[in-house]
Amino acid sequence: MASQLLGLAEESGPSPGESELAVNPFDGLPFSSRYYELLEQRRALPIWAARFIFLEQLESSPSGVVLVSGEPGSGKSTQIPQWCAEFALARGFKEGRVTVTQPYPLAALSLAVRVADEMDLTLGQEVGYSIPQEDCTGPDTLLRFCWDRLLLQEVASTRGTGAWGVLVLDEAQERSVASDLLQGLLQNAKLGNLPGDSRVVVVTDPALEPKLQAFWGNPTIVHVPRGPGTCPTPVYRDIVPTDRVEAACQAVLELCAKEAPGDVLVYLPSEEEILQCCESLSREMEPLALRGPPPRVLPLHPGHGPAVQAAYEDIDLGARKVVVTHWLADFSFSLPSIRHVIDSGLELRSIRAESQVLRPISRCQAEARRLRARGIPPGSCICLYPESFLELEAPPLPPPRVCEENLSPMVLLLKRRQIAEPGECHFLDRPAPEALMQALEDLDYLAALDDDGNLSDLGVILSEFPLPPELAKALLASCEFNCVDEMLTLAAMLTAAPGFTHPPLSAEEAALRRALEHADGDHSSLIQVYEAFIQSGADEAWCQARGLNWAALCQAQKLRGELLELMQQIELPLSQPAFGSEQNRRDLQKALVSGYFLKVARDTDGTGNYLLLTHKHVAQLSPYCCYRSRRSPARSPPWVLYHSFSISKDNCLSIVSEIQPQMLVELAPPYFLSNLPPSESRDLLNELREEMTDSSIESESPSTQEFGDACVLQ
């Protein structure tokens, strides 16, 4: 077979000394010496033993589907795409290029950088990536790493499989909505069989292998052998610490004091705790008398952007790296130098209605984290919880995201492209009928559906925006209320850079933050932060002095430009900047309420205990909320509109702004108010609606009588 011969040629290829004679088949240039250095590292990976078996199965699979099952860190994510590229090259790329999906944009970017290096090719040319606000591909791109949500949009828009000859669905065990739905669409009868002679490769952890095998109808399976070395025996704590960050820092400092060789990987639940841990470790390590260079503390989370590549770099040879991360690195971002793992056993995840919940990780995730410390000799795995914690509270596998997330964006996409009704799609795990009904109801409230349940004209426009439906609705409403410029900024900030990264570290930093706060609440404060960021020349030091994420603000700047370009393409009306004027304040509030009336809460007792109108949960304002940081006498606004709700030991509303209930009654659909769960707040709103209706009738009466008299006179 052609692909086998190509693979054999590479494995038995020339020695580094003959590199000037060997030519890279992808670009026709001689291999560099670095290629051979990395090739030796690749051959040492556990997956290399399955190389020829994989290429044989990819060539001969009767269904065109190959399932690859292996543990984290075995090399699946870097090697499988390269072998698929060799397979496609042997066929002359007649069926199209190779596309590899990742559940996280940062993982797609990081893998593209690594694979381009290993293949001795130029990033952005033969190897590229597609993530939000950044498409680093070109006409010569043969291997593309892509965020799975972007590929889902592409597949939906063409009602086919897209321009690929081999599709690799990586990290299927992460159970992202897009990955599950892509697999469902490929199985959907309305799409028919795969065009031409395409291939689908599904890469997963062994824990999900039985479910995937049944879903795909017993496809060809390639098992990756277990790598050398042994896993450490976990060391459990007697009790769960009250301060996770402090406990994690103490564990790191103890490892550093012992001078145990190897890098350290710390798992915490949230980005906020990651940043707190990094800052605390950086301070506490300075006075330590350690031999050699001081340890480098590196955060690894989506908000850190491309800077996460520092975790792979050997800038200070011999310096220990302490990488602090969360669920992002459960299966992605394998770091071969890791020998010690510190696991909090918790994760902060988004669930329906943009809420967040703090919960135990699954037993599968706990095992994946322990495997990071495998080696000869084994490293260490310190679990900041009792052994019974996971046995009693943790599920065996990560919950499918399609059974937890707000499904409105998915339903909007399916209806926009008329691929299939949500109830007809194949799913690895079918979402609950009430979740689908809730998504349809929310879209109906947003006027995205017509009386027949199909997309309305407004719904079609909403589906064009890479935003949650409620945020897209607020952006469209800004066209009516003449505040497009401000709403574009707010949409970008809410998506990419929602606020401060940590509590103020000093009185000076607190004062700098207060200067950015706006009297109208957190939403206007975000606009003010963005404008000040632009006026600073996008200065990174300016952001650091105020506890702002520079990389996230840069992403917000890119996204704002993308949204503006999209509005111009759709020929939507724009408006001139008017932020700060009294009229603009009211208009911006109206635009927000038009999209976010589903996310309103009321202070029921005047003490800051907010009852959510739609869920009847009680929450407090986030510590980062501008209403909380104001000097006394600070008051809690009676009615607020919020962006997200965290379900944890201290339920809190994040990014809130005060609204007037009259505006909610005026702009929310009447049947939405009638359908709210019974509460004093609902009764107040319905009474207010009746009063406003009566006053409207009374105000119209004179003019009606005057109009009638005029008719008589005529």
Side-chain angles (χ1 to χ4, degrees):
M1 300 175 189
S3 59
Q4 281 184 305
L5 293 174
L6 184 64
L8 283 167
E10 181 178 348
E11 187 168 22
S12 59
S15 65
E18 301 170 331
S19 61
E20 68 275 5
L21 303 177
V23 173
N24 191 325
F26 292 98
D27 63 2
L29 299 175
F31 284 118
S32 67
S33 59
R34 177 165 175 77
Y35 169 81
Y36 291 99
E37 294 174 8
L38 295 177
L39 181 59
E40 289 303 312
Q41 297 177 18
R42 294 170 59 196
R43 287 172 172 167
L45 294 169
I47 196 170
W48 196 267
R51 173 183 171 79
F52 294 120
I53 296 175
F54 171 76
L55 288 171
E56 285 178 354
Q57 300 299 342
L58 191 62
E59 181 80 39
S60 60
S61 172
S63 65
V65 178
V66 177
L67 181 61
V68 179
S69 175
E71 294 177 341
S74 58
K76 305 185 302 296
S77 296
T78 55
Q79 304 312 301
I80 292 294
Q82 297 184 56
W83 300 343
C84 290
E86 294 169 14
F87 170 79
L89 177 65
R91 300 198 304 175
F93 289 98
K94 293 179 181 178
E95 306 299 334
R97 61 186 173 184
V98 178
T99 295
V100 184
T101 68
Q102 289 293 324
Y104 309 114
L106 209 54
L109 184 155
S110 180
L111 282 169
V113 172
R114 176 67 181 179
V115 169
D117 193 22
E118 290 188 356
M119 296 181 72
D120 211 14
L121 296 172
T122 304
L123 184 66
Q125 295 188 19
E126 296 83 7
V127 178
Y129 60 89
S130 299
I131 60 176
Q133 294 89 58
E134 194 168 357
D135 183 22
C136 185
T137 62
D140 298 327
T141 299
L142 309 174
L143 174 58
R144 179 178 70 136
F145 291 83
C146 181
W147 187 32
D148 54 15
R149 289 192 189 181
L150 290 183
L151 184 67
L152 177 61
Q153 292 173 348
E154 294 174 12
V155 171
S157 65
T158 58
R159 297 191 64 189
T161 58
W164 47 262
V166 182
L167 175 61
V168 181
L169 301 173
D170 197 7
E171 308 292 7
Q173 76 283 343
E174 290 275 11
R175 304 303 307 274
S176 71
V177 172
S179 178
D180 276 16
L181 189 54
L182 278 168
Q183 295 182 69
L185 292 178
L186 292 171
Q187 284 280 63
N188 196 304
K190 289 189 177 182
L191 282 179
N193 296 325
L194 298 179
D197 194 22
S198 300
R199 296 288 191 273
V200 175
V201 179
V202 184
V203 185
T204 184
D205 184 86
L208 194 63
E209 180 187 322
K211 181 180 284 288
L212 288 171
Q213 187 177 10
F215 180 80
W216 286 102
N218 295 314
T220 300
I221 302 179
V222 176
H223 292 99
V224 180
R226 175 167 286 194
T230 55
C231 292
T233 301
V235 177
Y236 296 96
R237 295 293 168 89
D238 294 334
I239 59 173
V240 176
T242 55
D243 190 331
R244 289 182 296 271
V245 174
E246 182 181 354
C249 290
Q250 187 60 37
V252 172
L253 294 174
E254 290 174 2
L255 283 172
C256 292
K258 293 177 182 177
E259 298 190 349
D263 294 340
V264 184
L265 187 61
V266 181
Y267 286 96
L268 290 169
S270 66
E271 291 187 18
E272 177 184 341
E273 289 176 299
I274 290 171
L275 294 169
Q276 289 176 358
C277 183
C278 289
E279 290 163 358
S280 179
L281 284 174
S282 297
R283 290 194 307 269
E284 295 181 30
M285 283 183 175
E286 287 182 4
L288 293 180
L290 301 175
R291 289 183 295 180
R296 297 178 60 226
V297 182
L298 303 169
L300 176 56
H301 60 82
H304 205 52
V308 299
Q309 288 300 119
Y312 292 92
E313 298 170 357
D314 296 322
I315 298 176
D316 298 317
L317 195 61
R320 183 200 298 270
K321 283 184 286 192
V322 179
V323 180
V324 189
T325 185
H326 55 17
W327 41 260
L328 178 68
D330 282 341
F331 302 102
S332 304
F333 295 95
S334 296
L335 302 169
S337 60
I338 295 297
R339 285 294 175 268
H340 308 281
V341 170
I342 299 169
D343 181 16
S344 67
L346 296 169
E347 63 178 4
L348 185 67
R349 285 285 196 171
S350 296
I351 57 175
R352 290 198 181 96
E354 302 304 320
S355 301
Q356 292 183 312
V357 60
L358 183 67
R359 67 188 184 191
I361 60 174
S362 67
R363 293 195 288 274
C364 174
Q365 289 169 277
E367 177 64 14
R369 294 179 179 188
R370 186 171 73 94
L371 287 172
R372 297 296 194 193
R374 168 189 280 166
I376 305 175
S380 65
C381 179
I382 301 171
C383 300
L384 303 178
Y385 49 84
E387 188 172 4
S388 60
F389 177 73
L390 291 180
E391 295 175 358
L392 297 176
E393 301 189 41
L397 294 170
R401 309 297 296 148
V402 75
C403 296
E404 294 189 322
E405 288 189 2
N406 180 5
L407 301 183
S408 296
M410 182 194 77
V411 173
L412 190 66
L413 176 69
L414 292 177
K415 285 189 168 290
R416 172 67 176 92
R417 304 308 179 187
Q418 299 180 343
I419 298 174
E421 287 298 316
E424 299 173 1
C425 277
H426 291 80
F427 290 100
L428 279 168
D429 288 277
R430 184 170 294 279
E434 55 268 25
L436 289 172
M437 289 301 299
Q438 184 64 59
L440 290 168
E441 186 176 77
D442 290 350
L443 291 175
D444 186 44
Y445 286 144
L446 292 170
L449 304 179
D450 60 21
D451 293 339
D452 297 323
N454 300 315
L455 283 193
S456 63
D457 292 341
L458 177 64
V460 172
I461 300 176
L462 291 180
S463 69
E464 295 293 332
F465 286 90
L467 301 170
E470 64 274 12
L471 184 52
K473 174 67 179 296
L475 183 56
L476 289 185
S478 71
C479 298
E480 176 184 354
F481 297 117
N482 298 313
C483 55
V484 177
D485 186 83
E486 293 75 22
M487 199 64 218
L488 278 171
T489 298
L490 186 53
M493 290 291 286
L494 288 171
T495 304
F500 299 104
T501 59
H502 56 72
L505 301 178
S506 65
E508 181 182 0
E509 181 176 321
L512 290 173
R513 288 189 182 191
R514 280 195 296 272
L516 295 173
E517 292 176 357
H518 195 282
D520 287 345
D522 292 336
H523 294 85
S524 293
S525 294
L526 286 178
I527 298 175
Q528 200 148 273
V529 166
Y530 179 84
E531 293 190 348
F533 169 71
I534 297 301
Q535 290 173 5
S536 76
D539 183 56
E540 186 171 2
W542 181 90
C543 295
Q544 292 175 347
R546 291 157 178 80
L548 293 166
N549 189 321
W550 175 78
L553 281 166
C554 291
Q555 284 295 98
Q557 186 178 12
K558 290 182 181 179
L559 177 57
R560 190 187 188 283
E562 182 181 299
L563 293 174
L564 175 59
E565 182 179 350
L566 182 57
M567 294 190 74
Q568 291 171 336
Q569 290 175 355
I570 303 175
E571 298 183 351
L572 293 172
L574 304 178
S575 58
Q576 294 298 316
F579 183 62
S581 70
E582 189 63 32
Q583 182 64 43
N584 183 261
R585 292 176 62 190
R586 290 194 297 271
D587 291 341
L588 187 59
Q589 286 184 345
K590 288 181 179 180
L592 277 171
V593 172
S594 297
Y596 278 86
F597 56 83
L598 289 161
K599 295 184 178 181
V600 171
R602 172 176 169 260
D603 185 356
T604 56
D605 55 9
T607 62
N609 291 315
Y610 285 89
L611 178 70
L612 278 60
L613 294 189
T614 54
H615 302 293
K616 299 189 72 173
H617 288 295
V618 176
Q620 289 76 40
L621 301 182
S622 163
Y624 299 145
C625 174
C626 67
Y627 297 110
R628 292 280 297 271
S629 62
R630 288 176 183 172
R631 298 182 185 276
S632 57
R635 68 171 186 86
S636 299
W639 294 82
V640 296
L641 175 149
Y642 64 91
H643 179 65
S644 62
F645 166 52
S646 296
I647 304 175
S648 59
K649 64 180 182 181
D650 52 348
N651 294 357
C652 65
L653 305 175
S654 298
I655 310 180
V656 303
S657 292
E658 182 175 8
I659 62 167
Q660 298 303 317
Q662 293 85 350
M663 189 177 291
L664 178 62
V665 171
E666 176 188 350
L667 296 172
Y671 55 93
F672 165 74
L673 299 176
S674 302
N675 291 341
L676 286 172
S679 68
E680 182 184 6
S681 301
R682 187 191 72 167
D683 295 340
L684 289 173
L685 290 173
N686 284 319
E687 290 174 9
L688 186 58
R689 181 176 62 178
E690 293 176 4
E691 292 175 5
M692 292 174 65
T693 301
D694 292 342
S695 63
S696 175
I697 293 174
E698 292 175 2
S699 63
E700 290 176 2
S701 295
S703 60
T704 304
Q705 182 64 41
E706 185 178 331
F707 179 73
D709 293 344
C711 291
V712 172
L713 289 172
Q714 288 178 344

